[in-house]
Amino acid sequence: MEDPVGINAPQTDAQTGGFGSVESDSSALSDDVEKETNFSGTIVVKIGGSTLGSHDTTLRDLVTLQRQGINSIVVHGGGKIISDWMAKQGVMPRFVQGLRVTDEPSLDIVVAVLTGLINKNLVASMFELGARSIGLSGADDAMLRANIRDPELGLVGDIVDVNTHPIYTALKSGYIPVIAPGGSGSPTLLNINADTAAGEIAAAIGASRLVFLTDVQGVLDTSRRLIPRLTERQARGLINSNVAAGGMIPKLEACLTALHSGGVSHIVDGRKPSALMDVISGKTLGTRIG
C-alpha cells in the first residue's frame, strides 16, 4: 500500500462557466505535446520488496534501459517490510480486498518505511549500479491527489488527479523517477496502493507499457494455470467472478486503467533473471493485458 499527496485542484466547469481557463487549457496542451514528442515509449515499472532477491536483476535491467535511452518510471511498494515494521511496533495489519486498512498510527509507519527506508535504499542501490535516479513520493509537488476511498479502509485514498510535472522534470533531467506511492488528501496524507498508483501514473503520462514485477507467475485461471493474455473484458470477468483475488485485484484494475490510455500491461514473475528486459524485448512472459 502506499501514501498520499495533493495537487492544485483544477477549476470546475461551474467555476469557469463551462469553459476551461486559458491557463489550464494551455497547460493541458503543453503536457500533451510534451508527452507525444519527448516521452513516447516511456515505461512504468512497479516493483515490490518481495521481488528484490538474490536472483533479481530488475535494478540492473533499469540501468540497461536507461543506457539504451528508454525512459523508465519506477513505482515501488513494500507491503512485507511495512508489515514487519508494524509488528515491531505492535500494530497488526488488516486487509480488505487486497488493500491495507490504514489508521493514523499505521499511516506513520507506511510513510516512514515507503518514502524513507525503501525509497532511499532503492535509489542508493541503483546509483551503485550506474543509474541516475531520484527518489520521489506522491506527496512531492502534489503529484498524487486523493480522496478517502472507503471509511472501512481508513486513511486509504483513491487518486483523483495526477500532477505529471515532477515526473516529466525528472525524466527531462536524465533521471529515473523512483516513486513511493501516497497521496494528498485534504487535510492529511493518504495511503495509496502502489499498484493503483502505477496504473494512474501510466495512464496520466500515456506510457507505452506498464510492467508489474511480482512474486507470482502471472494471472492464473481456476485450475492454477497461467493465462498468457487477457482482453479488457476477460480481465474484468476474472475480477467479477472472484477468480482474481487479494493483491491481484488492484493489479488487474491498474492494468485496465493504463489500457484506456493505450498502454499495454504485463504481470510477470520479477524474481526471474532478466524478467524486465525479456518483457521489453517482446518475449512471452507472464500475463499480458491488452
Side-chain angles (χ1 to χ4, degrees), residues 127-284:
F127 175 80
E128 291 299 321
L129 294 171
R132 297 188 68 204
S133 62
I134 187 167
L136 299 170
S137 80
D140 295 331
D141 198 23
M143 186 192 303
L144 304 177
R145 188 164 64 89
N147 292 334
I148 289 180
R149 165 177 285 199
D150 182 344
E152 187 179 1
L153 294 172
L155 299 173
V156 173
D158 269 335
I159 298 171
V160 296
D161 199 7
V162 178
N163 175 14
T164 58
H165 179 70
I167 301 173
Y168 286 141
T169 299
L171 291 173
K172 285 194 294 185
S173 298
Y175 292 100
I176 298 173
V178 181
I179 303 171
S184 296
S186 185
T188 185
L189 292 173
L190 293 175
N191 185 18
I192 294 177
N193 178 272
D195 298 334
T196 303
E200 293 289 349
I201 290 170
I205 67 166
S208 62
R209 290 180 189 268
L210 168 61
V211 182
F212 286 94
L213 297 173
T214 184
D215 59 357
V216 295
Q217 190 179 8
V219 182
L220 307 180
D221 63 18
T222 54
S223 299
R224 309 301 295 171
R225 294 172 300 189
L226 177 68
I227 304 173
R229 187 161 185 175
L230 289 169
T231 64
E232 177 179 0
R233 180 178 179 181
Q234 289 169 333
R236 293 195 183 282
L238 291 178
I239 296 172
N240 295 335
S241 64
N242 296 319
V243 173
M248 189 57 70
I249 294 175
K251 287 178 176 61
L252 283 174
E253 290 176 338
C255 291
L256 295 176
T257 298
L259 184 62
H260 290 164
S261 292
V264 173
S265 297
H266 305 264
I267 300 175
V268 305
D269 189 344
R271 299 167 299 181
K272 293 185 176 181
S274 303
L276 178 57
M277 293 302 297
D278 286 347
V279 168
I280 299 304
S281 65
K283 293 183 179 179
T284 300

Side-chain angles (χ1 to χ4, degrees), residues 38-61:
N38 296 336
F39 301 107
S40 60
T42 296
I43 65 171
V44 174
V45 181
K46 191 273 176 174
I47 60 178
S50 59
T51 66
L52 296 174
S54 58
H55 300 292
D56 176 82
T57 63
T58 300
L59 301 187
R60 292 185 185 277
D61 290 349

Side-chain angles (χ1 to χ4, degrees), residues 39-163:
F39 301 107
S40 60
T42 296
I43 65 171
V44 174
V45 181
K46 191 273 176 174
I47 60 178
S50 59
T51 66
L52 296 174
S54 58
H55 300 292
D56 176 82
T57 63
T58 300
L59 301 187
R60 292 185 185 277
D61 290 349
L62 287 165
V63 173
T64 299
L65 291 172
Q66 186 176 50
R67 289 172 176 168
Q68 292 176 351
I70 297 175
N71 290 308
S72 302
I73 298 165
V74 174
V75 179
H76 67 81
K80 183 180 184 303
I81 299 175
I82 292 171
S83 295
D84 290 344
W85 276 86
M86 285 186 171
K88 292 178 182 179
Q89 302 299 317
V91 178
M92 296 302 295
R94 291 193 302 117
F95 295 88
V96 174
Q97 294 185 343
L99 298 176
R100 185 184 300 272
V101 177
T102 307
D103 55 16
E104 289 186 9
S106 298
L107 184 63
D108 289 344
I109 297 173
V110 168
V111 173
V113 172
L114 280 175
T115 66
L117 181 64
I118 298 175
N119 187 271
K120 301 315 172 190
N121 274 323
L122 282 173
V123 171
S125 296
M126 293 173 71
F127 175 80
E128 291 299 321
L129 294 171
R132 297 188 68 204
S133 62
I134 187 167
L136 299 170
S137 80
D140 295 331
D141 198 23
M143 186 192 303
L144 304 177
R145 188 164 64 89
N147 292 334
I148 289 180
R149 165 177 285 199
D150 182 344
E152 187 179 1
L153 294 172
L155 299 173
V156 173
D158 269 335
I159 298 171
V160 296
D161 199 7
V162 178
N163 175 14

